[in-house]
Amino acid sequence: MATATYPIQVTYCGICSLPPEYCEFGGTTKKCEEWLEEKLPDMHSKLYSQEVLEQNMSALSVDAQKRAEKDSQKKAARAEAASAKLAETRATSKVLIKRIERNKRKYVTAVQGLEAFGLDIKKVAKDFGKKFATGSSVTKVPGGGEEITVQGDLSDDIFDYVVENYKDVPEDNLECIEDKKKKKADG
Amino acid sequence: MFKKDITPGAKSKVKSSVQRTIRSKVLEQYPLLEPYIEDILPKKEQLDLVKLPDRIALYALGTTPLFFQHMDDPLLPHLTLIHRYPRCFPTLRIDRGAIRFVLSGATLMTPGLTSPGGRLPNDPNDAEGRYGKKELEAGEVVVIEAEGKEHACMVGVLKVGTEEMKRVKKGQACEAGHYLGDGLWSLSLG
Ligand SMILES: [Zn+2]
């Protein structure tokens, strides 16, 4: 037992990120169990065996069990509400791909709103830079949120790339717009 | 410390002289890590410092968080590091009933450790000696394991010594430093 080789490889739950033996304390226990059953059936049968479940129960008084039960129901309700809210913000969030004229015939493309879809903006900016072999940077926009600025007129390419590579962003939520210089817009 | 989600601040490279100091501090605090220190903190690899809110510094190797520290307080190991090297830190065990409180960020209370499911050093129920023979003092960093679980669920700083806990059997035992599912756990360094 003491001769275990370090480092120990630990598996974490793909749903709640904790070691699977702790999934029972989160608000997503059901989903966690399904995930484990599918990905790691051996561990699943170990953790969710009748014997283990009974042992877990017997470690607590009836009173404590009731309180724990209530607590986990509350947690589950909270987790559900949070995921419903997330789904809603995703459904209503827009991603704007804006073509901006910097100088005559020099354009940059600004992309806003990707963070609502759980994307890591810095990583996406890097991906853009690599994919289009161009400068790509992240700036904060007033009023919260972040914006990726890519050098060049790439609106259509970015539109296609986002649809193709970030499946969490529905095509309908993407919009390409043009931000002409004031002078030009007037004329 | 990390009850809320946190956004990491600026990341900077740690100077090699500072990196050496951290390495020796880690060994001083956790001598049992000695055989693995070259795997954990390789001399030749660049250690990063990520600033977190409330004057907490997180030391990381690439995307792997290793230790965090509030100002000049002791270095605390990240739970993923503890999971990889579990027997290298002073460790106590809580009973099953206390787990859900710990995982919601509550201060750990003494009865969770002194009850039949809990374990302290020199515990008569601990035939294997997993929880050691050395009583721990207030202010020491401890890893908290849980009854019926293999992996640790929390790391924190003791508010009272273990001998006093056995005597008094009530009150706060250990401040919630870092626990499974907290803001530090969920932080992505990608
Ligand atoms: Zn889980």
Side-chain angles (χ1 to χ4, degrees):
Chain A
M1 169 106 209
T3 49
T5 36
Y6 285 1
I8 287 175
Q9 298 291 329
V10 187
T11 311
Y12 296 111
C13 173
I15 305 293
C16 72
S17 84
L18 305 188
E21 56 180 1
Y22 285 100
C23 287
E24 52 167 328
F25 296 100
T28 52
T29 315
K30 217 167 168 194
K31 268 195 203 158
C32 292
E33 191 188 340
E34 285 164 9
W35 177 86
L36 196 66
E37 193 167 18
E38 196 200 317
K39 305 275 165 163
L40 302 157
D42 285 355
M43 193 187 268
H44 177 267
S45 48
K46 219 165 91 195
L47 285 179
Y48 291 87
S49 72
Q50 197 57 37
E51 196 189 342
V52 170
L53 294 179
E54 272 164 25
Q55 215 173 22
N56 286 347
M57 290 309 251
S58 68
L60 294 178
S61 70
V62 179
D63 230 28
Q65 276 177 39
K66 272 194 198 138
R67 262 178 285 138
E69 178 73 18
K70 231 186 188 170
D71 195 58
S72 74
Q73 274 169 4
K74 242 195 259 165
K75 257 193 186 164
R78 229 180 292 144
E80 216 162 279
S83 83
K85 203 176 154 208
L86 185 69
E88 197 187 308
T89 34
R90 283 195 184 177
T92 54
S93 289
K94 277 252 178 274
V95 174
L96 290 182
I97 302 173
K98 206 162 36 168
R99 186 170 93 143
I100 305 167
E101 190 170 11
R102 271 287 144 84
N103 287 311
K104 234 183 198 169
R105 297 223 191 148
K106 281 241 164 87
Y107 295 96
V108 296
T109 308
V111 186
Q112 275 181 20
L114 284 170
E115 65 272 15
F117 297 90
L119 292 166
D120 179 343
I121 299 302
K122 276 190 196 142
K123 219 180 251 162
V124 177
K126 227 181 223 170
D127 288 348
F128 284 173
K130 262 193 218 139
K131 166 73 187 165
F132 303 113
T134 180
S136 175
S137 62
V138 177
T139 40
K140 288 215 162 77
V141 286
E146 287 175 316
E147 178 181 82
I148 302 175
T149 309
V150 186
Q151 302 300 317
D153 176 12
L154 292 165
S155 294
D156 295 337
D157 304 83
I158 288 176
F159 186 98
D160 293 342
Y161 183 76
V162 170
V163 170
E164 190 56 30
N165 291 281
Y166 305 110
K167 302 286 183 200
D168 282 341
V169 186
E171 194 172 338
D172 290 344
N173 293 38
L174 282 172
E175 199 181 335
C176 287
I177 56 173
E178 190 141 355
D179 188 74
K180 281 192 183 144
K181 268 200 166 174
K182 279 240 163 68
K183 248 194 251 161
K184 254 195 163 174
D186 292 339
Chain B
M1 266 166 141
F2 305 107
K3 266 188 129 165
K4 289 195 188 129
D5 277 347
I6 42 177
T7 11
K11 183 163 120 178
S12 56
K13 288 182 173 149
V14 171
K15 268 196 249 161
S16 61
S17 59
V18 179
Q19 190 162 335
R20 274 199 300 277
T21 316
I22 290 169
R23 191 178 157 120
S24 60
K25 264 194 195 156
V26 166
L27 286 175
E28 197 181 301
Q29 272 185 51
Y30 309 108
L32 293 176
L33 286 177
E34 168 82 60
Y36 318 108
I37 193 70
E38 189 53 34
D39 291 328
I40 297 170
L41 279 169
K43 274 193 182 130
K44 294 232 166 94
E45 275 180 60
Q46 177 64 51
L47 190 68
D48 287 324
L49 183 157
V50 182
K51 279 194 179 163
L52 301 183
D54 302 323
R55 302 205 193 178
I56 295 167
L58 173 68
Y59 295 102
L61 207 64
T63 56
T64 311
L66 296 174
F67 293 93
F68 62 98
Q69 181 178 36
H70 172 250
M71 296 174 75
D72 280 327
D73 295 353
L75 288 155
L76 271 74
H78 191 274
L79 275 165
T80 51
L81 181 72
I82 299 167
H83 291 163
R84 280 181 285 142
Y85 300 94
R87 307 292 279 270
C88 299
F89 306 91
T91 304
L92 305 175
R93 190 178 96 175
I94 51 172
D95 62 27
R96 186 174 156 82
I99 300 176
R100 69 187 178 96
F101 295 104
V102 163
L103 296 193
S104 61
T107 300
L108 175 58
M109 304 304 278
T110 307
L113 291 160
T114 53
S115 74
R119 293 285 182 277
L120 290 163
N122 297 306
D123 205 303
N125 293 319
D126 177 24
E128 199 195 321
R130 185 179 175 107
Y131 300 94
K133 298 260 173 261
K134 194 178 148 280
E135 298 292 337
L136 305 173
E137 307 287 326
E140 283 195 61
V141 176
V142 281
V143 166
I144 305 293
E145 294 183 339
E147 179 186 7
K149 305 292 178 204
E150 188 184 341
H151 303 293
C153 59
M154 172 182 157
V155 57
V157 175
L158 282 185
K159 285 194 142 184
V160 287
T162 49
E163 255 168 328
E164 192 181 331
M165 284 186 209
K166 290 180 195 172
R167 243 188 1 255
V168 184
K169 294 197 166 67
K170 59 179 183 193
Q172 300 189 334
C174 181
E175 232 158 327
H178 162 41
Y179 55 93
L180 286 179
D182 70 358
L184 180 60
W185 178 264
S186 318
L187 182 72
S188 153
L189 295 173

